[in-house]
């Protein structure tokens, strides 16, 4: 594999270059800063297969460099791994928003970097084909084992295709979304939750649209979701089969009603300009907290969200008549933020945690003790 390694620390640069080239057999090019890296990319005849970028560098940091690389059509799907000592959530969010596939914090084990490079490149190739990466069993009914990824199940009609969505703010690729979730516990984001956003009648739209039209439709819906939820700093990922997943951070995450109604109003405006006459609505599922689950548990949550077609929120919320009465700023400030009751998703994951009986009882009761 041809790798470009960028880090302003000469000792780390030399260590990683020797490890990846001599121990792992990769063809490694090392650059001390972002500007040199851009020159190297421009001059290289054979394209790189993977980028490993430090974040904190002079003149141009690794996040800006990541964004510049993603703007190059040749590297739209190439693996980009951020390798950094920066442990702030802002850096994590900025890195993935710029197009990173993975994020490794220092200190780390060299074996972890080797595994991440291999895994990231394998799945990026799968996403580039619009489907699952290598190793997809194609089995529809087997729950993944601990540590397995929640790769999409392939179907012959193409409806399950994981469509590549580019240039939409805070919309992540299939595997990048999973890698982002894996990092949240390290950054103290124990209030994060994931919700499913389903396209009602997506299969009917797939049947009446050409493949190009359906991809354009999914891209349009991704844009609608991104614009509607931009102020809430959510990340979204399309999982195939008319399903988006959305991760929200913080205990004051928006409720289903807060999201779904304005989302559908935006969607109807966007669909009016779509060349095919399709009738679609978006339904937002209940939030699944990630507070107590392990890494394997996070993947199980994603897997179950993708498979659950009997969600209690299958039908969209009924649109109620909007009150046009002006609301003063004082009333807005006094309004209590909407919250959803805590519901534990831990029962199937408790075997993975070493918790005392007292801890288990507290978890089962929820934070309110009810």
């Amino acid at each position: 594999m041809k790798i470009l390694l960028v880090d302003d620390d000469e000792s780390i640069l030399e260590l990683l270059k020797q490890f990846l080239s001599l121990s792992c057999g990769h063809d490694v090019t090392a650059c001390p800063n972002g500007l040199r890296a851009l020159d190297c990319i421009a001059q290289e005849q054979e394209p790189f297969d993977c980028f490993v970028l430090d974040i904190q560098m002079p003149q141009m940091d690794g996040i800006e460099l990541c964004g510049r690389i993603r703007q190059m059509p040749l590297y739209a799907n190439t693996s980009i791994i951020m390798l950094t000592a920066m442990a702030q959530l802002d850096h994590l969010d900025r890195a993935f928003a710029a197009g990173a596939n993975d994020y490794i914090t220092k200190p780390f084990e060299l074996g972890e970097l080797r595994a991440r490079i291999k895994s990231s490149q394998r799945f990026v190739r799968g996403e580039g084909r619009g489907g699952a990466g290598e190793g997809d069993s194609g089995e529809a009914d087997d729950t993944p084992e601990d540590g397995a990824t929640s790769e999409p199940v392939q179907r012959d009609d193409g409806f399950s295709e994981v469509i590549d969505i580019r240039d939409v703010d805070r919309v992540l690729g299939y595997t990048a979304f999973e890698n982002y979730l894996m990092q949240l516990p390290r950054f103290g984001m124990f209030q994060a939750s994931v919700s499913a956003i389903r396209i009602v009648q997506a299969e009917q739209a797939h049947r009446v649209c050409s493949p190009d039209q359906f991809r354009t439709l999914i891209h349009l819906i991704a844009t609608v979701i991104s614009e509607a939820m931009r102020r809430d700093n959510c990340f979204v990922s399309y999982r195939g089969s008319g399903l988006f997943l959305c991760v929200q951070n913080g205990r004051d995450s928006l409720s289903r009603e807060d999201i779904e109604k304005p989302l559908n109003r935006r969607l109807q405006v966007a669909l009016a300009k779509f060349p095919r006459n399709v009738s679609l609505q978006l339904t937002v599922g209940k939030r699944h907290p990630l507070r107590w689950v392990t890494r394997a548990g996070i993947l199980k949550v994603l897997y179950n969200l993708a498979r659950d077609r009997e969600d209690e929120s299958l039908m969209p919320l009924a649109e109620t008549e909007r009150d046009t009465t002006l609301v003063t700023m004082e009333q807005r400030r006094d309004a209590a933020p909407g919250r959803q009751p805590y519901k534990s998703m831990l029962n199937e994951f408790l075997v993975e945690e070493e918790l005392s009986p007292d801890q288990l009882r507290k978890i089962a009761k929820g934070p309110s003790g009810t």
Side-chain angles (χ1 to χ4, degrees):
M1 185 182 298
K2 189 175 178 63
I3 298 174
L4 180 63
L5 178 64
V6 186
D7 198 313
D8 64 329
D9 189 319
E10 294 184 3
S11 60
I12 293 179
L13 197 66
E14 184 61 28
L15 171 65
L16 294 181
K17 182 179 180 180
Q18 290 190 19
F19 172 73
L20 293 175
S21 58
L22 299 180
S23 299
C24 303
H26 297 302
D27 178 6
V28 182
T29 301
C31 290
N33 58 63
L35 295 178
R36 288 278 298 277
L38 290 176
D39 290 339
C40 182
I41 293 171
Q43 297 171 7
E44 194 66 32
Q45 298 296 320
E46 183 180 351
F48 291 98
D49 301 308
C50 180
F51 298 93
V52 180
L53 313 178
D54 183 33
I55 286 185
Q56 198 169 21
M57 296 186 294
Q59 296 180 299
M60 177 187 297
D61 68 14
I63 295 176
E64 181 182 353
L65 176 59
C66 176
R68 296 277 290 272
I69 293 172
R70 275 289 180 250
Q71 292 174 1
M72 304 176 187
L74 182 62
Y75 296 115
N77 292 311
T78 303
S79 174
I80 301 179
I81 301 173
M82 310 307 294
L83 183 64
T84 177
M86 308 302 292
Q88 289 78 30
L89 181 65
D90 176 64
H91 290 93
L92 178 72
D93 283 359
R94 287 177 54 222
F96 277 91
N101 299 103
D102 209 345
Y103 192 104
I104 305 177
T105 54
K106 302 175 183 177
F108 61 93
E109 295 183 359
L110 292 176
E112 179 184 6
L113 175 60
R114 175 172 56 191
R116 296 288 189 92
I117 289 175
K118 182 178 179 180
S119 176
S120 180
Q121 183 62 23
R122 177 165 61 95
F123 287 114
V124 166
R125 285 201 303 268
E127 288 170 14
R129 294 193 302 269
E134 297 171 10
D136 182 14
S137 65
E139 296 290 341
D141 297 322
D142 294 332
T143 302
E145 297 178 357
D146 291 355
T149 63
S150 53
E151 296 181 38
V153 176
Q154 293 298 291
R155 282 169 37 181
D156 294 336
D157 62 3
F159 180 58
S160 62
E161 178 185 358
V162 180
I163 296 171
D164 180 26
I165 300 174
R166 306 180 190 177
D167 303 324
V168 179
D169 188 36
R170 304 186 79 82
V171 175
L172 302 182
Y174 194 94
T175 307
F177 184 77
E178 294 180 356
N179 289 338
Y180 174 78
L181 294 185
M182 297 297 187
Q183 297 296 325
L184 292 180
R186 299 185 182 184
F187 290 82
M189 297 308 298
F190 299 113
Q191 298 293 334
S193 61
V194 182
S195 301
I197 303 178
R198 293 190 182 278
I199 308 172
V200 180
Q201 297 182 328
E203 289 190 82
Q204 291 89 323
H206 181 262
R207 285 195 293 267
V208 302
C209 291
S210 69
D212 286 342
Q213 286 176 334
F214 187 72
R215 284 190 287 270
T216 301
L217 179 62
I218 294 300
H219 193 282
L220 180 150
I221 295 173
T223 303
V224 168
I225 296 173
S226 173
E227 291 177 349
M229 306 185 71
R230 180 174 297 167
R231 66 182 178 85
D232 304 299
N233 295 322
C234 302
F235 277 110
V236 178
S237 177
Y238 182 63
R239 317 298 284 181
S241 302
L243 171 71
F244 287 87
L245 294 185
C246 174
V247 58
Q248 301 179 68
N249 293 327
R251 62 175 70 242
D252 291 326
S253 299
L254 294 178
S255 68
R256 178 192 173 198
E257 185 173 2
D258 292 333
I259 299 172
E260 191 171 289
K261 291 181 179 179
L263 198 57
N264 277 300
R265 287 195 289 268
R266 284 177 176 264
L267 176 63
Q268 301 315 311
V269 173
L271 288 178
K273 302 178 182 179
F274 190 68
R276 295 303 299 263
N277 184 17
V278 291
S279 177
L280 299 175
Q281 284 185 291
L282 298 175
T283 179
V284 179
K286 60 186 178 181
R287 292 190 290 119
H288 293 247
L290 301 175
R291 182 173 183 176
W292 296 103
V293 299
T294 63
R295 289 168 62 92
I298 288 175
L299 293 177
K300 286 184 178 180
V301 169
L302 298 185
Y303 185 83
N304 291 333
L305 278 168
R307 290 169 56 87
D308 183 12
R309 296 195 175 267
E310 302 300 328
D311 195 301
E312 63 185 24
S313 59
L314 183 60
M315 296 304 296
L317 291 170
E319 182 70 64
T320 56
E321 183 177 353
R322 279 174 279 167
D323 186 2
T324 57
T325 305
L326 295 177
V327 180
T328 64
M329 293 305 295
E330 288 76 12
Q331 288 173 318
R332 290 182 183 274
R333 283 197 294 268
D334 293 340
R339 298 194 182 197
Q340 289 205 7
Y342 177 88
K343 291 184 179 180
S344 176
M345 290 289 293
L346 297 178
N347 291 337
E348 62 183 294
F349 305 138
L350 292 180
V351 293
E352 304 173 33
E353 306 287 354
E354 295 182 358
L355 302 176
S356 67
D358 288 341
Q359 289 175 308
L360 295 180
R361 282 193 291 271
K362 289 181 181 179
I363 294 171
K365 291 179 180 179
S368 64
T370 59

